[in-house]
Amino acid sequence: TNEPHGMRDRFAKDLMHACNDLGFVYEFITAAISTPVPFPYVHLCKFLLICFLACTPLVVDKDTGVFSGIVWPVCVALSLLGIDAIASELADPFGDDPNDLDVTG
């Protein structure tokens, strides 16, 4: 009846608080997985990228030189295509692909 305060009394509250926080994180991850990216937004981004890639050669001035006329627009176009490819790969980070997060343990 007169037990000294042991591990159960000191850490039970902290353990329950950590488990409660873990439940909130699990609910947040579940909500993030189940919330789809709006379909029109994806197509709008792709359409704007295609418009940029199609219009860039039409507006580049040939008198600006090789770097400003060719190298810089190609670097910008490749970086935008790379960002689009990365966004496509990371669209569902909790799937079964090799680069996805392993949430099942």
Side-chain angles (χ1 to χ4, degrees):
T1 60
N2 256 349
E3 295 179 20
H5 295 290
M7 182 179 291
R8 178 180 48 155
D9 295 333
R10 288 185 286 170
F11 296 109
K13 184 178 85 168
D14 293 336
L15 180 63
M16 292 303 292
H17 185 64
C19 289
N20 193 24
D21 289 344
L22 188 62
F24 287 134
V25 169
Y26 178 76
E27 289 177 10
F28 178 74
I29 289 175
T30 303
I33 292 171
S34 62
T35 305
V37 176
F39 193 64
Y41 177 74
V42 173
H43 285 286
L44 177 67
C45 289
K46 298 276 187 190
F47 177 73
L48 290 176
L49 181 61
I50 289 171
C51 286
F52 173 77
L53 294 175
C55 292
T56 300
L58 302 175
V59 297
V60 172
D61 187 16
K62 65 178 180 174
D63 297 330
T64 58
V66 174
F67 184 77
S68 297
I70 297 173
V71 176
W72 188 245
V74 167
C75 289
V76 171
L78 288 178
S79 64
L80 289 174
L81 288 171
I83 290 171
D84 184 55
I86 290 170
S88 297
E89 283 291 320
L90 298 178
D92 185 16
F94 303 108
D96 295 331
D97 296 333
N99 62 341
D100 291 339
L101 297 173
D102 184 20
V103 293
T104 59

